[in-house]
Amino acid sequence: MIALVVNGKRHAVDVAPDTPLLWVLRDNLGLTGTKYGCGEGVCGACTVHIDGRAERSCQISVKDAHGKRITTIEGLAKGHPVKKAWLAEDVSQCGWCQPGQIMQAAALLREKPAPSNADIDSAMEGNLCRCGTYQRIRAAIHMAAREAGKGGVR
Ligand code: FES
Ligand code: FES
């Protein structure tokens, strides 16, 4: 059994130690908000926070995630400025890439509360969107930064 702390809750999972964290989140814990895209670390659909940093959960084994603080899209507060801005800007199209985009954006804003367009492009470049929502993603991140600056939840 491997112990994991996900969204503040402790879990014990009975899987091989080299199982990707993404499989465990989705198949063992039922946290299907985190998406499978490429499985190779190049699309960003599976992005979660590990100890507050955006990481690709398809590239991390449960063994390596043990003892760390894991947050998925389900664990990001409902009133989080990024979630609110995503709705306000109507960012999603098919939606598949969006949980990963949101997690990546939330991590960016934690590091850079008022990112420039260049900061956003650099932080988000590894999160692919086949529907081409990039302009709305950028607008939503700017909106979230403005709202967070007014004292919203981060
Ligand atoms: S599924 Fe993990 S980066 Fe694509
Ligand atoms: S919204 Fe469809 S892949 Fe990004």
Side-chain angles (χ1 to χ4, degrees), residues 26 32-37 45 92-100 130:
R26 290 182 57 84
T32 54
T34 305
K35 303 302 185 205
Y36 170 69
S92 276
Q93 210 158 308
C94 82
W96 194 256
C97 72
Q98 298 295 332
R130 289 192 309 182

Side-chain angles (χ1 to χ4, degrees), residues 8 12 41 48 54 62 73 84 108 113 115 126 133 135 141:
V48 298
V62 273
I73 188 74
K84 285 165 68 177
L108 164 64
T133 62
Q135 293 302 321
I141 292 173

Side-chain angles (χ1 to χ4, degrees), residues 22-23 35-47 55-59 96 126:
L22 175 59
W23 298 172
K35 303 302 185 205
Y36 170 69
C38 63
E40 296 181 352
V42 296
C43 76
C46 66
T47 303
E55 303 278 1
R56 308 298 190 235
S57 61
C58 70
Q59 297 297 296
W96 194 256

